Amino acid sequence: ESVPLPLHFVGAGHSPVALHRTGYGKDDLFLGIKAGEAKVAHGHMDAGSFVIDRGGHRWASDLGLQGYHSLEQRGIALFDMAQEGRRWSVFRLNNFTHNTLTYNGGLHRVDGKAVIVSSNGAPENETRLDMAAPLGLPEGATATRDFKMDGSGVTLSDSIAGLRPGDGITWHMITHAEVEEREGGYDLGLGGKRMTLALSSPQKATMKAAHADPPTSDFDQPNPGMTRIFLEVVAGEDGKIEIDAVFRAVD
């Protein structure tokens, strides 16, 4: 007798993950979420990052690693995991190129660990992360990242409190899709399929998209066809920032 494959999984360990899927068909949705910290073996500053698959395509992507030899021959000490180590200047290793958040334009804290607070399969299909530690927020500040998946998309809600007025949070992701700006977000196209991404915040926010090529430095590996999407949000007098990102399958 065949056993149904699971639609939800949580893995603990040094780099905890939560996985959700609507099924195993080509047009089903898959959501992968990563917690943890950068200061682990071969770690990236990718706490809070996620990937979304649908229709045989990856809509929210991860660039993956760059071959170590190409960097070490340029004098980059890749195993210097210190906060100011040159490892974190590599385009594919820092938080600026992962599908996560950045506080005041700074690097994630290498020893700041994002924690999976809760994760439930159907019918909720929800995962919550505590993101305060990797972001390096002011003492006492809080940050949660909530994911919810349904049959046609994924909703991602970030809630940050305890910031100083004028502090900034940048929401960012990278995608291989064709990106076209629309009111309040973007249309994404891949292989004849389409999804929409709606970005919103009650705070002052600026939305933009930029090619990931050429990368930051001449030692970085090229990223042809990749686009980075940003929402830059500024905290008001109450020190709060709320960000909603809604991915929806169109066809």
Side-chain angles (χ1 to χ4, degrees):
E1 183 180 349
S2 62
V3 177
L5 294 171
L7 302 179
H8 173 244
F9 172 80
V10 178
H14 293 301
S15 295
V17 296
L19 310 177
H20 298 268
R21 60 168 69 240
T22 57
Y24 286 84
K26 185 175 180 180
D27 290 323
D28 279 307
L29 279 162
F30 169 81
L31 168 65
I33 303 160
K34 184 181 180 299
E37 60 187 335
K39 200 173 183 178
V40 295
H42 306 284
H44 294 193
M45 289 182 169
D46 58 359
S49 195
F50 63 96
V51 295
I52 296 174
D53 292 5
R54 173 184 169 263
H57 300 286
R58 177 149 291 180
W59 300 82
S61 300
D62 187 291
L63 289 173
L65 60 80
Q66 177 173 346
Y68 283 4
H69 178 68
S70 67
L71 295 165
E72 289 176 328
Q73 69 181 358
R74 299 294 297 273
I76 296 174
L78 282 171
F79 294 95
D80 177 4
M81 307 293 279
Q83 185 66 44
E84 304 303 326
R86 284 195 73 200
R87 175 182 180 84
W88 310 119
S89 69
V90 178
F91 191 78
R92 293 190 173 201
L93 300 186
N94 60 46
N95 45 289
F96 309 127
T97 57
H98 286 95
N99 303 338
T100 186
L101 302 173
T102 289
Y103 170 61
N104 281 348
L107 292 170
H108 278 191
R109 305 302 302 173
V110 295
D111 55 356
K113 188 171 185 176
V115 177
I116 298 176
V117 176
S118 61
S119 187
N120 299 291
E124 294 89 355
N125 275 329
E126 295 176 338
T127 291
R128 168 170 283 194
L129 304 184
D130 183 337
M131 288 288 295
L135 291 179
L137 301 178
E139 186 174 356
T142 59
T144 56
R145 168 159 267 206
D146 287 286
F147 298 84
K148 184 174 178 60
M149 188 177 72
D150 58 33
S152 64
V154 174
T155 299
L156 175 54
S157 299
D158 293 299
S159 181
I160 303 97
L163 301 177
R164 298 178 293 259
D167 276 353
I169 291 286
T170 302
W171 184 103
H172 38 81
M173 65 166 277
I174 195 158
T175 181
H176 194 63
E178 296 177 359
V179 176
E180 183 177 341
E181 188 171 349
R182 59 192 288 271
E183 182 67 29
Y186 294 93
D187 287 323
L188 308 177
L190 261 177
K193 300 283 187 179
R194 289 191 302 143
M195 293 190 79
T196 59
L197 167 60
L199 291 169
S200 62
S201 172
Q203 285 77 36
K204 179 182 178 183
T206 304
M207 186 179 72
K208 65 179 181 179
H211 294 298
D213 245 8
T216 309
S217 303
D218 61 2
F219 55 72
D220 285 311
Q221 184 173 322
N223 308 293
M226 304 300 292
T227 300
R228 301 160 79 190
I229 295 174
F230 304 88
L231 188 72
E232 299 172 337
V233 187
V234 179
E237 290 300 316
D238 63 1
K240 294 181 179 180
I241 286 180
E242 305 282 340
I243 303 170
D244 285 325
V246 181
F247 296 83
R248 280 280 167 257
V250 177
D251 54 24

